[in-house]
């Protein structure tokens, strides 16, 4: 259950920090900057005590998978995975790839999956950084497609509406998601890590990086130190593009970067110069 717990802990630190900034710096809010009206009433924010249900709904499906499925981390021998799942490694024909999920072998003496077999050696620092960057790029591309489908397919659009039904974006919107969309998001992140065989340690570093980016793009704030201001100009989607997406419900489907959106705009709509359009407000 480590990754589930780690994710919740990291989220519970990062998102309220942004929410605090949001609440105390109305002049930094993109919507206010655009409309030039700092006296606009604050959107409804939820108190931490009201958010236990949100936490519960997030944790439960992941926890259920944690205690029923064998963890298949890259670099772990298959027989170790089998042992962790209460199987006899000599007789079970288990596959070591994450693409072939295996349930725990439930028994009275081992009613739940409680162990995860880990690789013996650590990754090199170069491997860690490369895997981290690559998995973020893969996620960015696959989520672009998923998000595009969420908008274009009527059935999925109903699901995505939970994430879009607000007048003004704020950090708490990050996790305002239908269970199906949230699971899709988590599974795509898991896929992006697994498909390149990321080390468990990379996964552990991925979680704060990923959540930091997710909260940042939903912050609705024009912060001087946001990742889009740190990266070379024109690389990142940032909160500007994502706020635009939430406000208009169209364009800018890519969460973290620009490339796929720009390519899509160029090919399908023949659009050009989108980046400058959004950036005008700066
Ligand atoms: C996430 O990835 C791990 C490691 O490969 C895998 O064992 C696990 O089943 C995946 N979790 C889900 C919910 O797919
Ligand atoms: Zn959307």
């Amino acid at each position: 259950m480590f990754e589930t717990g780690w994710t919740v802990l990291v989220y519970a630190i990062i998102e309220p920090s942004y929410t605090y900034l949001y609440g105390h710096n109305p002049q930094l809010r993109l919507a206010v900057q655009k409309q030039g009206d700092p006296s606009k009433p604050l959107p409804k924010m939820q108190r931490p005590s009201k958010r236990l249900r949100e936490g519960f709904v997030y944790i439960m499906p992941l926890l259920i998978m944690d205690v029923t499925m064998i963890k298949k981390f890259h670099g772990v021998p298959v027989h170790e995975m089998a042992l962790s799942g209460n199987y006899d490694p000599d007789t079970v024909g288990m596959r070591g790839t994450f693409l072939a999920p295996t349930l725990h072998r439930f028994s009275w003496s081992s009613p739940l999956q409680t162990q995860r077999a880990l690789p013996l050696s650590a990754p090199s620092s170069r491997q860690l950084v490369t895997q981290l960057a690559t998995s973020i790029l893969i996620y960015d591309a696959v989520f672009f497609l998923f998000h595009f489908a969420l908008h274009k397919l009527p059935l999925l659009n109903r699901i995505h509406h939970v994430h879009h039904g607000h007048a003004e974006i704020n950090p708490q919107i990050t996790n305002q998601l239908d269970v199906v969309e949230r699971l899709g998001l988590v599974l795509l992140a898991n896929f992006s890590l697994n498909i390149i065989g990321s080390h468990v340690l990379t996964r552990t570093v991925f979680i704060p990086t990923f959540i930091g980016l997710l909260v940042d793009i939903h912050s609705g704030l024009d912060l001087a130190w946001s990742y889009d201001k740190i990266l070379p100009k024109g690389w990142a989607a940032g909160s500007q593009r994502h706020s635009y997406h939430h406000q208009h419900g169209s364009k800018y489907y890519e969460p973290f970067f620009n490339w796929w959106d720009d390519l899509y705009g160029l090919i399908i709509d023949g659009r050009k110069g989108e980046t400058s359009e959004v950036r005008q407000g700066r």
Side-chain angles (χ1 to χ4, degrees):
M1 295 173 245
F2 169 75
E3 289 180 345
T4 303
W6 178 226
T7 306
V8 173
L9 177 69
V10 167
Y11 187 83
I13 293 170
I14 296 182
E15 191 251 84
S17 310
Y18 272 82
T19 301
Y20 179 88
L21 284 177
Y22 184 87
H24 288 80
N25 300 280
Q27 78 283 3
L28 293 180
R29 283 157 48 187
L30 289 166
V32 172
Q33 286 179 355
K34 194 173 287 157
Q35 286 147 25
D37 179 13
S39 63
K40 202 167 166 275
L42 285 165
K44 268 213 187 101
M45 307 289 275
Q46 289 185 302
R47 301 196 159 279
S49 55
K50 293 269 159 64
R51 302 186 70 193
L52 288 177
R53 188 178 172 274
E54 182 185 338
F56 185 78
V57 171
Y58 173 82
I59 294 172
M60 276 330 275
L62 297 175
L63 223 49
I64 290 171
M65 285 192 268
D66 279 338
V67 296
T68 54
M69 285 162 61
I70 298 178
K71 291 272 188 278
K72 298 185 173 179
F73 293 125
H74 186 79
V76 177
V78 184
H79 72 268
E80 303 249 339
M81 293 178 190
L83 276 177
S84 81
N86 196 28
Y87 284 95
D88 178 353
D90 295 328
T91 57
V92 66
M94 205 177 93
R95 291 174 61 207
T97 165
F98 75 99
L99 292 170
T102 310
L103 281 179
H104 182 79
R105 192 175 74 88
F106 302 101
S107 69
W108 286 113
S109 58
S110 174
L112 293 174
Q113 177 74 26
T114 55
Q115 295 179 33
R116 47 180 210 159
L118 298 175
L120 279 182
S121 53
S124 70
S125 47
R126 184 189 300 177
Q127 272 172 339
L128 197 153
V129 172
T130 315
Q131 289 173 353
L132 184 65
T134 312
S135 51
I136 296 273
L137 288 175
I138 294 174
Y139 175 86
D140 190 56
V142 289
F143 195 81
F144 166 76
L145 292 175
F146 180 51
H147 191 189
F148 189 73
L150 283 170
H151 277 270
K152 300 294 174 188
L153 303 181
L155 194 74
L156 288 178
N157 196 244
R158 231 176 294 156
I159 289 166
H160 192 47
H161 187 73
V162 177
H163 189 55
H164 270 284
H166 49 265
E168 185 188 337
I169 195 168
N170 68 64
Q172 293 190 343
I173 304 285
T174 313
N175 189 38
Q176 196 174 297
L177 297 164
D178 185 272
V179 187
V180 176
E181 180 173 353
R182 191 182 301 110
L183 267 187
L185 187 153
V186 173
L187 292 180
L188 286 180
N190 207 20
F191 171 85
S192 308
L193 285 159
N194 281 328
I195 200 70
I196 55 164
S198 291
H199 193 278
V200 195
L201 187 60
T202 309
R203 299 173 63 92
T204 307
V205 179
F206 176 89
I207 288 168
T209 312
F210 179 70
I211 291 179
L213 288 172
L214 267 191
V215 175
D216 195 287
I217 61 169
H218 288 96
S219 68
L221 292 171
D222 188 11
L223 297 169
W225 42 265
S226 277
Y227 82 103
D228 57 319
K229 310 259 169 58
I230 296 167
L231 288 176
K233 217 170 167 221
W235 280 26
S239 59
Q240 308 249 356
R241 276 194 164 202
H242 208 68
S243 293
Y244 181 99
H245 173 78
H246 273 256
Q247 202 184 346
H248 299 272
S250 66
K251 290 209 287 198
Y252 309 137
Y253 302 103
E254 192 174 350
F256 303 144
F257 299 102
N258 279 331
W259 307 305
W260 296 105
D261 264 326
D262 286 347
L263 193 66
Y264 168 75
L266 211 63
I267 293 172
I268 307 295
D269 292 354
R271 280 194 264 125
K272 279 189 203 105
E274 293 297 352
T275 316
S276 53
E277 179 191 315
V278 177
R279 298 254 154 97
Q280 271 169 11
R282 290 193 183 177

Short mmCIF file of all heavy atoms in Angstrom, two decimals, residues 62 65 69-73 98 187 190 194 203, ligand 1:
data_model
loop_
_atom_site.label_atom_id
_atom_site.label_comp_id
_atom_site.label_asym_id
_atom_site.label_seq_id
_atom_site.Cartn_x
_atom_site.Cartn_y
_atom_site.Cartn_z
N LEU A 62 -7.84 1.94 -5.14
CA LEU A 62 -6.41 1.63 -5.23
C LEU A 62 -6.01 0.64 -4.14
O LEU A 62 -5.22 -0.28 -4.38
CB LEU A 62 -5.59 2.92 -5.11
CG LEU A 62 -5.84 3.92 -6.24
CD1 LEU A 62 -5.08 5.21 -5.98
CD2 LEU A 62 -5.42 3.32 -7.58
N MET A 65 -7.01 -2.82 -5.07
CA MET A 65 -6.06 -3.43 -6.01
C MET A 65 -4.76 -3.79 -5.29
O MET A 65 -4.16 -4.84 -5.56
CB MET A 65 -5.79 -2.48 -7.17
CG MET A 65 -6.94 -2.42 -8.15
SD MET A 65 -6.51 -1.59 -9.69
CE MET A 65 -6.99 0.05 -9.32
N MET A 69 -3.78 -7.71 -5.80
CA MET A 69 -2.94 -8.01 -6.97
C MET A 69 -1.46 -8.05 -6.61
O MET A 69 -0.99 -7.27 -5.78
CB MET A 69 -3.16 -6.94 -8.04
CG MET A 69 -4.48 -7.09 -8.79
SD MET A 69 -4.91 -5.57 -9.65
CE MET A 69 -3.53 -5.39 -10.76
N ILE A 70 -0.76 -8.93 -7.28
CA ILE A 70 0.69 -9.03 -7.07
C ILE A 70 1.39 -7.85 -7.73
O ILE A 70 1.09 -7.50 -8.87
CB ILE A 70 1.22 -10.35 -7.66
CG1 ILE A 70 0.56 -11.54 -6.95
CG2 ILE A 70 2.74 -10.42 -7.55
CD1 ILE A 70 1.00 -12.87 -7.50
N LYS A 71 2.30 -7.23 -7.02
CA LYS A 71 3.08 -6.14 -7.60
C LYS A 71 4.17 -6.72 -8.50
O LYS A 71 4.93 -7.59 -8.08
CB LYS A 71 3.74 -5.32 -6.49
CG LYS A 71 2.73 -4.53 -5.66
CD LYS A 71 2.48 -3.17 -6.28
CE LYS A 71 1.65 -2.29 -5.38
NZ LYS A 71 0.21 -2.54 -5.46
N LYS A 72 4.21 -6.22 -9.73
CA LYS A 72 5.22 -6.72 -10.67
C LYS A 72 6.16 -5.59 -11.07
O LYS A 72 5.95 -4.92 -12.08
CB LYS A 72 4.52 -7.32 -11.89
CG LYS A 72 3.65 -8.52 -11.53
CD LYS A 72 3.05 -9.19 -12.74
CE LYS A 72 2.33 -10.48 -12.35
NZ LYS A 72 1.72 -11.16 -13.49
N PHE A 73 7.17 -5.39 -10.25
CA PHE A 73 8.13 -4.32 -10.53
C PHE A 73 9.24 -4.82 -11.43
O PHE A 73 9.66 -5.97 -11.36
CB PHE A 73 8.72 -3.79 -9.22
CG PHE A 73 7.72 -3.08 -8.35
CD1 PHE A 73 7.52 -3.47 -7.03
CD2 PHE A 73 6.98 -2.01 -8.85
CE1 PHE A 73 6.61 -2.81 -6.23
CE2 PHE A 73 6.06 -1.35 -8.05
CZ PHE A 73 5.87 -1.75 -6.74
N PHE A 98 3.93 -6.50 -16.20
CA PHE A 98 2.78 -5.81 -15.60
C PHE A 98 1.55 -5.91 -16.49
O PHE A 98 0.43 -5.69 -16.05
CB PHE A 98 3.12 -4.35 -15.34
CG PHE A 98 3.14 -3.50 -16.58
CD1 PHE A 98 2.05 -2.71 -16.90
CD2 PHE A 98 4.24 -3.49 -17.42
CE1 PHE A 98 2.05 -1.92 -18.05
CE2 PHE A 98 4.26 -2.71 -18.57
CZ PHE A 98 3.17 -1.94 -18.88
N LEU A 187 -3.96 4.77 -13.74
CA LEU A 187 -3.49 3.63 -14.51
C LEU A 187 -2.58 4.08 -15.66
O LEU A 187 -1.61 3.41 -15.99
CB LEU A 187 -4.66 2.80 -15.04
CG LEU A 187 -5.45 2.06 -13.96
CD1 LEU A 187 -6.59 1.26 -14.56
CD2 LEU A 187 -4.54 1.15 -13.14
N ASN A 190 0.71 4.77 -14.14
CA ASN A 190 1.35 3.48 -13.87
C ASN A 190 1.90 2.87 -15.16
O ASN A 190 3.02 2.37 -15.20
CB ASN A 190 0.32 2.53 -13.23
CG ASN A 190 0.96 1.48 -12.35
OD1 ASN A 190 2.09 1.64 -11.90
ND2 ASN A 190 0.24 0.39 -12.13
N ASN A 194 5.70 1.82 -16.14
CA ASN A 194 5.99 0.40 -16.37
C ASN A 194 6.51 0.10 -17.76
O ASN A 194 7.35 -0.78 -17.93
CB ASN A 194 4.72 -0.42 -16.13
CG ASN A 194 4.47 -0.64 -14.65
OD1 ASN A 194 5.41 -0.74 -13.87
ND2 ASN A 194 3.21 -0.70 -14.26
N ARG A 203 9.70 5.41 -9.41
CA ARG A 203 8.26 5.54 -9.15
C ARG A 203 8.02 6.42 -7.93
O ARG A 203 7.10 7.23 -7.90
CB ARG A 203 7.64 4.16 -8.92
CG ARG A 203 7.76 3.20 -10.09
CD ARG A 203 7.28 1.81 -9.71
NE ARG A 203 5.86 1.80 -9.35
CZ ARG A 203 4.87 1.56 -10.21
NH1 ARG A 203 5.15 1.30 -11.46
NH2 ARG A 203 3.63 1.56 -9.80
C1 LIG B 1 1.01 -0.62 -11.23
O1 LIG B 1 2.26 -1.11 -11.55
C2 LIG B 1 2.73 -2.15 -10.74
C3 LIG B 1 4.17 -2.43 -11.07
O2 LIG B 1 4.32 -2.93 -12.35
C4 LIG B 1 1.85 -3.35 -10.94
O3 LIG B 1 2.30 -4.44 -10.22
C5 LIG B 1 0.46 -2.98 -10.52
O4 LIG B 1 -0.43 -4.02 -10.76
C6 LIG B 1 -0.02 -1.74 -11.23
N1 LIG B 1 -1.19 -1.27 -10.57
C7 LIG B 1 -2.33 -1.22 -11.17
C8 LIG B 1 -3.46 -0.74 -10.34
O5 LIG B 1 -2.45 -1.52 -12.34
#
